[in-house]
Amino acid sequence: MKYYSVRGINAAWLLSSYLLSRPVRNPVLWGMPISAGLELTNYCNLKCTQCPTGSGLATREKGYMSRALFDEINSQISRFLINTMFYFQGESMMHPSFFEYLEEWRGKGIVISTNGHFMDLEEASHLASSPARKIIISLDGFSQDVYEKQRPGGDIEKVKDGIVNLAKKVRGKRSVPSIEIQFLVSSINEHEQELVRKFARDLGIGFRMKSMQILDLFHDPEILPSQKNYSRYNINEGKLAIRSKLKNHCFRLWTNPVITWNGKVLPCCFDKDAAYELGDMNNEPFRNIWVGEKYQAFRKKILENRLCVEMCTNCTEGLDKKIRR
């Protein structure tokens, strides 16, 4: 009971400080984050075209989160968290201690996102019995030919088999993670969306179509789907422009930091290559970073002129509600 009270009180203080900060255009911060993204690794087995890791655009060092760092994060912030994303860049299930870390984070609203290549019968059984609240599996096509154009190096039959394995393992259990197939819509795969939807429906699991983030806004606009509500972008003079009002505020800066595999603290999940590092947990405690001068200065910059931060110009905050994020 005490644990839930701490989380509830912290969340109330945090929300209050965010709401106060917006009209005064000055960052007020009460409380610790209620959500966090943990990058267990930035290694990946695929070469996805619109992923900074898969495409090779990311320049930062690759590695796996150490036991020492994981324990520090756990001791410093886990008691405040309502949600935890066990993913950022890379494929989290490639971490050798993935299931061990997962079990130790029980009760923190864990969401896993995976490309689905690591779900044989044994791994699916572990996932089905894990403390994860939700498991998101990317399936961006139904045929190998279409799928590998968006996710080079992938094996669609292996992913399908893994999804079937997981669906079978959770069936009949009283308390299980929810399963959702996520379909990133593009001109490459949109004609196969109904096949994937039916696949999910036949297994009794969730299905979500999601708009794709384009890393290079000068990218060939032909990748955009024909259905406008599945595109985050308009085309202006051959350049892609996010369909967002980009107002001068951002809830994530008060609620949802990302911690990379090597302890860098980032403002949000849009900072793919750690260009806006706000602190390093190897050098100081998370709380000091969270309330520190650098983090507060970044919050103030967003409140005053969000468009001056390049990362934010490709952000979905404030996106038209008709668009599938």
Side-chain angles (χ1 to χ4, degrees):
M1 185 69 180
K2 181 179 179 181
Y3 176 72
Y4 288 96
S5 297
V6 167
R7 290 196 298 181
I9 293 170
N10 176 70
W13 276 108
L14 203 62
L15 177 60
S16 299
S17 66
Y18 170 69
L19 293 176
L20 176 60
S21 299
R22 286 178 54 175
V24 300
R25 299 290 181 219
N26 199 51
V28 178
L29 182 66
W30 302 322
M32 293 284 278
I34 57 175
S35 183
L38 303 187
E39 181 186 66
L40 301 187
T41 181
N42 58 348
Y43 279 110
C44 189
N45 56 309
L46 302 183
K47 302 291 183 182
C48 301
T49 56
Q50 291 302 320
C51 169
T53 299
S55 65
L57 292 176
T59 59
R60 59 192 176 96
E61 183 184 2
K62 287 184 168 61
Y64 299 94
M65 183 175 287
S66 68
R67 159 56 66 180
L69 176 60
F70 182 82
D71 288 345
E72 281 300 316
I73 298 169
N74 197 352
S75 66
Q76 293 184 36
I77 68 170
S78 67
R79 66 185 180 277
F80 302 104
L81 300 179
I82 298 171
N83 295 294
T84 311
M85 283 65 72
F86 256 44
Y87 60 92
F88 177 41
Q89 294 297 285
E91 170 55 57
S92 294
M93 292 190 69
M94 290 179 67
H95 195 292
S97 300
F98 173 77
F99 286 108
E100 185 180 337
Y101 286 2
L102 191 61
E103 185 61 35
E104 293 177 22
W105 212 260
R106 183 175 292 274
K108 283 85 172 182
I110 303 168
V111 179
I112 299 166
S113 182
T114 175
N115 61 43
H117 285 78
F118 301 91
M119 297 193 301
D120 61 21
L121 286 172
E122 183 179 358
E123 290 162 331
S125 181
H126 283 315
L127 279 176
S129 302
S130 77
R133 175 174 59 84
K134 184 176 184 178
I135 301 170
I136 302 168
I137 306 156
S138 297
L139 185 61
D140 303 332
F142 203 69
S143 65
Q144 178 65 23
D145 180 58
V146 169
Y147 177 78
E148 67 183 355
K149 288 178 182 176
Q150 198 151 302
R151 294 188 178 267
D155 182 342
I156 196 168
E157 293 305 322
K158 189 172 186 178
V159 178
K160 288 180 187 177
D161 288 346
I163 294 172
V164 171
N165 290 339
L166 184 59
K168 286 180 179 178
K169 290 297 182 180
V170 302
R171 193 172 295 142
K173 288 181 177 285
R174 295 183 61 185
S175 178
V176 296
S178 65
I179 307 171
E180 178 183 276
I181 290 177
Q182 181 175 274
F183 187 94
L184 287 178
V185 192
S186 72
S187 60
I188 297 169
N189 63 13
E190 59 184 334
H191 63 288
E192 292 194 340
Q193 61 182 275
E194 288 305 321
L195 294 172
V196 181
R197 188 190 301 274
K198 183 179 184 301
F199 177 67
R201 184 171 60 244
D202 290 346
L203 290 173
I205 60 179
F207 173 77
R208 180 190 179 203
M209 293 177 65
K210 184 179 179 182
S211 63
M212 178 187 289
Q213 180 185 4
I214 309 298
L215 296 178
D216 182 359
L217 296 184
F218 290 94
H219 191 281
D220 186 348
E222 290 184 5
I223 197 172
L224 299 182
S226 60
Q227 302 169 76
K228 198 169 180 61
N229 62 321
Y230 291 109
S231 174
R232 302 179 183 183
Y233 306 94
N234 288 320
I235 304 173
N236 297 328
E237 299 180 352
K239 180 183 177 182
L240 302 182
I242 193 82
R243 294 163 63 188
S244 173
K245 296 178 181 179
L246 287 177
K247 295 182 179 179
N248 291 330
H249 56 79
C250 181
F251 191 50
R252 298 183 194 197
L253 291 182
W254 272 255
T255 58
N256 190 8
V258 169
I259 304 173
T260 67
W261 70 268
N262 56 349
K264 311 299 183 183
V265 178
L266 310 181
C268 77
C269 61
F270 281 87
D271 190 9
K272 311 294 187 184
D273 205 22
Y276 298 91
E277 179 190 329
L278 298 173
D280 187 340
M281 288 190 65
N282 295 291
N283 300 328
E284 57 183 324
F286 177 85
R287 185 184 292 273
N288 290 4
I289 298 169
W290 181 244
V291 302
E293 183 178 333
K294 194 170 182 179
Y295 221 131
Q296 287 291 74
F298 192 83
R299 293 185 180 104
K300 186 173 180 61
K301 183 184 293 186
I302 297 298
L303 291 170
E304 292 178 343
N305 183 12
R306 191 176 173 197
L307 283 172
C308 73
V309 179
E310 184 179 0
M311 172 183 69
C312 296
T313 62
N314 206 359
C315 177
T316 55
E317 181 97 5
L319 204 63
D320 188 323
K321 293 185 183 300
K322 296 178 182 178
I323 301 170
R324 303 301 178 90
R325 301 181 187 216

